[in-house]
Amino acid sequence: MNVLFVYYIASGGMDTLNRQRCLALRRHGIYGHCLYYKWGSGLQNVSDIPTFVTIDDLEIKMIIDQGHYDAVIVTTDYYSLLRFRSLGYNGKMILEIQGLGSKDTARIELLNAQQYVHAFGNGLLNPNTPHITALFHELFAHTPKFFYNNCFDSSRFHYHVWPKHPCRIMAWMGRIEENKNWREFLHIGSHLIRNYDPDLVLWMFEDANLARPEDKQAFHELVQQLELGKHLQLFSNVPHAEMENFLSIIGDSGGLLCSTSIVEGQPYSILEAMSCRCPVLTTNSDGVTNSIYHNETGKYYALGDINHAVDEAVDLMGNTPLREYIRSTAVHHVQTYFNPDLYCVQFINMLNSL
């Protein structure tokens, strides 16, 4: 059985998800291919998964005809349901939502998606993101809906022992844009440096190709205003295979990953950190609720409350028994509830039910 996964750009969490699920499904006799409309930094993560990059309809039709796909899973781009039907594809088509920005934006987008799903789609898929789940039930009452966690292969991406970094590290991963809420991370870091640990180091992992010039300018202005230059190190487009080493180093430094997002689907950055024993402090950005349980697998702070974030960060860095409990529990949680074989069983059940 062949399946095609379609997304706008080969970058970030979607690149990770598609690679991981294609490798997992292969063990169950399902062969996943990937189609992206634009080049992205994720293409540096070499694999043997058949991957296409094109927006040309003739090329896409050739891919469809030669691939003999039993199902096509389109992430976010609901217009592609019409595109693929117009190009002659008659198999099952599923619209997958991994994240649509703010809750208001998600509602608007899914309202726009209704006509395409009803006319051309066969089902909807989402990794248990609460606000998307609610919108699916409200707006697509008669469309088959499937909800299960994304897969994460902790046997391939996990903790490694490295020499201990001389300073604590607080890290952040994402795009320099509003929903990722990078300003809040810089303010949290500034407070921690001034009031808790003057040697704290801030590592920010981003994709510089995806940042708008005005956002880059605003970022550098705030870094200068908060006098964070000597504490901050930026990393752009780190190959995915190397991130397990960075996250292991961050965890062993006594530091943490701080996720400041306003709304998320099911962010891979958090699962990656958990698998590498790097404790996580995060906003309750909705899609993280299946991975982070407060003081069990990580910590929450209230979005916009810098003092609360600082207090929780200090507890996570300084309360050694709690910290070690969270690190161990997080690893077990990822291995159990995001297991690739569990994902494959649920994915196969979805296809069979359609």
Side-chain angles (χ1 to χ4, degrees):
M1 178 182 288
N2 292 344
V3 174
L4 182 66
F5 296 100
V6 182
Y7 188 58
Y8 297 112
I9 184 169
S11 183
M14 280 309 305
D15 164 65
T16 303
L17 170 60
N18 283 340
R19 281 187 293 104
Q20 294 225 3
R21 61 185 171 185
C22 284
L23 291 172
L25 287 166
R26 184 183 299 174
R27 299 196 296 267
H28 294 258
I30 297 177
Y31 297 92
H33 299 179
C34 298
L35 168 63
Y36 299 103
Y37 293 146
K38 295 181 181 179
W39 180 93
S41 60
L43 293 177
Q44 70 184 322
N45 301 312
V46 179
S47 73
D48 63 349
I49 299 164
T51 300
F52 313 98
V53 181
T54 183
I55 193 65
D56 182 82
D57 279 347
L58 291 179
E59 293 181 1
I60 293 173
K61 179 169 177 53
M62 187 178 300
I63 292 167
I64 294 170
D65 291 344
Q66 294 178 352
H68 303 291
Y69 299 110
D70 298 274
V72 172
I73 290 81
V74 174
T75 303
T76 305
D77 183 28
Y78 46 82
Y79 181 77
S80 287
L81 300 176
L82 169 59
R83 178 197 294 271
F84 276 67
R85 294 300 187 209
S86 299
L87 294 174
Y89 180 70
N90 295 315
K92 300 301 182 184
M93 295 197 71
I94 299 166
L95 177 64
E96 175 183 53
I97 301 298
Q98 289 287 338
L100 282 174
S102 71
K103 294 180 181 180
D104 289 340
T105 299
R107 171 175 285 277
I108 292 170
E109 290 296 319
L110 288 176
L111 281 168
N112 292 335
Q114 278 182 314
Q115 59 179 314
Y116 297 98
V117 172
H118 292 152
F120 310 111
N122 302 102
L124 295 163
L125 173 60
N126 176 255
N128 289 310
T129 308
H131 73 281
I132 299 296
T133 298
L135 287 170
F136 275 8
H137 287 302
E138 176 188 348
L139 302 177
F140 303 92
H142 303 295
T143 303
K145 294 172 278 290
F146 305 92
F147 307 97
Y148 48 89
N149 289 337
N150 292 332
C151 61
F152 186 89
D153 191 346
S154 55
S155 70
R156 289 177 174 266
F157 193 105
H158 53 82
Y159 171 77
H160 294 271
V161 177
W162 287 89
K164 186 173 181 180
H165 195 279
C167 303
R168 284 194 188 95
I169 304 163
M170 186 170 75
W172 181 93
M173 297 168 64
R175 298 182 300 280
I176 304 298
E177 52 91 10
E178 289 302 316
N179 185 59
K180 299 298 183 180
N181 200 17
W182 53 268
R183 291 180 178 84
E184 193 151 294
F185 174 79
L186 293 179
H187 282 290
I188 294 167
S190 175
H191 277 65
L192 286 167
I193 290 167
R194 286 188 282 109
N195 302 311
Y196 176 67
D197 183 356
D199 296 320
L200 182 70
V201 175
L202 306 179
W203 284 0
M204 298 185 74
F205 298 88
E206 54 138 2
D207 186 339
N209 299 316
L210 300 180
R212 300 183 306 171
E214 55 267 36
D215 290 328
K216 288 183 181 180
Q217 180 64 29
F219 172 81
H220 290 299
E221 288 176 359
L222 184 56
V223 169
Q224 184 176 13
Q225 176 187 331
L226 296 175
E227 300 179 345
L228 291 175
K230 67 178 183 180
H231 295 273
L232 176 64
Q233 187 169 358
L234 283 175
F235 301 85
S236 183
N237 298 328
V238 174
H240 185 255
E242 296 180 16
M243 281 306 302
E244 60 184 356
N245 297 323
F246 281 103
L247 289 166
S248 298
I249 290 169
I250 294 162
D252 281 349
S253 77
L256 65 139
L257 176 74
C258 182
S259 176
T260 52
S261 295
I262 298 171
V263 177
E264 286 283 2
Q266 195 170 85
Y268 262 94
S269 58
I270 287 178
L271 298 178
E272 290 166 352
M274 293 167 68
S275 184
C276 294
R277 295 180 56 81
C278 175
V280 174
L281 171 66
T282 181
T283 55
N284 188 343
S285 53
D286 210 43
V288 302
T289 54
N290 294 309
S291 52
I292 298 297
Y293 296 89
H294 189 65
N295 285 341
E296 293 287 330
T297 62
K299 273 182 172 288
Y300 286 111
Y301 79 91
L303 177 69
D305 191 336
I306 305 298
N307 290 331
H308 186 207
V310 169
D311 289 343
E312 295 292 355
V314 169
D315 190 39
L316 191 50
M317 290 188 286
N319 185 340
T320 301
L322 176 61
R323 176 185 180 83
E324 293 308 311
Y325 172 74
I326 286 175
R327 294 176 78 192
S328 298
T329 305
V331 171
H332 181 262
H333 185 79
V334 172
Q335 293 173 345
T336 303
Y337 296 101
F338 296 86
N339 183 285
D341 290 321
L342 175 61
Y343 179 90
C344 291
V345 169
Q346 294 169 316
F347 189 93
I348 292 168
N349 287 341
M350 174 183 72
L351 295 184
N352 287 338
S353 73
L354 293 175

